[in-house]
Amino acid sequence: MKRIYISGYIYGILLAVASFGLALLSYSITGVGLWWGVTGAESQMGGVFWSLFGLKIHNLAYYRVYPIPPFSEAFTWFLVFGIILGPLIVSSSKKEFSVRQVPNRYLALEAVAGGILIGYGTRMAGGCNIGDFYSGFATGSAWAIFFFLAMVSGIGTIIALSRVLPHRIRKLAKVKSIFILPSERIQYSILGLTVGASILIIVFFSYTMVRLWYVFGLILGAIGYSGAMCFQTSFRETISKNTGKTMARILAISLLVYSILSQMAIIDFHVKVNFFFDQSESILYQIIGGYIFGLGMGLAYNCTYSMEWRMGSGNVQAILTFIGLTFIGAPLYALTYSWWHSFVPVVFEPTRYWEFSLYKYGVTGAFIIDLFPVAWLIYSYFSDKTLTTLSKNNPMDN
């Protein structure tokens, strides 16, 4: 048997442990859920951006459901900042920070368009591959499996379309080999500035949740960069033929560990599973939004998590995706939020639906939850005919 890069599995487990640690510490302060997510903060950033140009965001129903907090208390924003700056610290300390993945015009348009679809879909679904799938599934949420199926269907649609595109168009999508590695002096200057900024944030922001989520953001970003964690890659590997499935196995194990840790907290220590998402949405939003979100991930070759840590390590393609998500896609959904709610019905009684968890069935519910990552792991192992390295599996270089 060929070597399978054990370090990747270690980083997958570290991602699960850090995710659970963030969720549990946040629960101990707020008493709400066992979760973490990023796109809610990005949609708020986009709203603030457009308010600078006269958009009265506080008149929009979306921003009444997802209100924008004062900057000094916007802990989810600082999680995003941390995930971006964590890889900057790691990469510059190892003299690996580089400007790369510079797209041609076609790929730039694809990255922005993918980001727009990601932003629109994730806010319609009320979460992304982290909030709705990774955290949601680990806590037995009713919508997680529907979101997952819709999301993977969106990625599958992009894969299918890519096979029928004219050869000339596919050729235009090839990545340029531009790679700019700053000097050692610049690398250490970047490191010093980033560490200094992090210290200032931790010292001068007194709100505990800001400090907590920022530090965990640094940790999660460092783990993502060091282990090249990407949910989009794992989903693409799962549904594609004749590809290595290393990332699929890594994240299947990560999801299993995260689920088991959550089960210990919920069943043994009676942590209450309670979600505070939009109480006027139904499962149809997870299906429609999840599909749009999957289309965006398929186009951008990024998930919301990998996009952020790639930005921090100098990936230009990821930066363009972030721009499309934060400043176009998410605010666009905010503008159409009331329109969707005018005709898409609520198919389940909202409070019951959002607060439902399989953990209400105790150990039996936990066993049912664990079956999915175990099945995912077994499938990805036995369907992997190549056992190639992660760098060969991922079309977008880290």
Side-chain angles (χ1 to χ4, degrees), residues 87-282:
L88 188 56
I89 292 173
V90 175
S91 62
S92 58
S93 66
K94 298 169 70 174
K95 294 181 288 186
E96 294 176 351
F97 176 80
S98 61
V99 178
R100 64 194 185 286
Q101 215 62 36
V102 180
N104 57 32
R105 286 177 294 179
Y106 179 88
L107 276 175
L109 179 62
E110 193 175 72
V112 174
I116 292 171
L117 291 172
I118 289 174
Y120 196 94
T122 186
R123 297 327 305 154
M124 186 175 189
C128 62
N129 53 281
I130 297 296
D132 264 8
F133 173 65
Y134 192 60
S135 292
F137 193 90
T139 50
S141 308
W143 69 85
I145 191 64
F146 296 100
F147 177 80
F148 170 78
L149 292 174
M151 175 176 57
V152 171
S153 296
I155 296 174
T157 299
I158 296 298
I159 293 174
L161 289 174
S162 68
R163 292 170 181 163
V164 300
L165 286 175
H167 175 71
R168 186 168 59 180
I169 295 179
R170 291 204 306 270
K171 188 175 181 180
L172 288 174
K174 288 186 177 179
V175 180
K176 288 186 177 180
S177 58
I178 296 175
F179 183 89
I180 303 173
L181 184 67
S183 66
E184 181 176 312
R185 181 178 180 180
I186 294 176
Q187 297 269 3
Y188 286 138
S189 296
I190 292 172
L191 174 63
L193 289 172
T194 309
V195 171
S198 297
I199 292 173
L200 289 175
I201 289 173
I202 294 171
V203 170
F204 288 103
F205 283 84
S206 60
Y207 187 43
T208 302
M209 289 289 283
V210 166
R211 292 174 170 175
L212 174 66
W213 280 54
Y214 180 70
V215 170
F216 269 92
L218 294 174
I219 294 170
L220 289 164
I223 291 172
Y225 171 76
S226 301
M229 300 287 105
C230 181
F231 287 84
Q232 183 276 150
T233 300
S234 72
F235 302 146
R236 184 178 287 266
E237 288 178 350
T238 300
I239 60 178
S240 298
K241 296 180 180 179
N242 301 320
T243 61
K245 304 190 188 300
T246 306
M247 185 54 63
R249 292 196 298 275
I250 288 172
L251 287 178
I253 291 174
S254 184
L255 180 60
L256 179 62
V257 172
Y258 191 10
S259 298
I260 291 173
L261 291 173
S262 297
Q263 289 157 11
M264 293 171 60
I266 293 169
I267 296 175
D268 296 335
F269 297 100
H270 308 291
V271 170
K272 182 182 178 183
V273 179
N274 180 38
F275 303 96
F276 57 92
F277 297 97
D278 183 352
Q279 295 290 299
S280 62
E281 291 188 349
S282 74

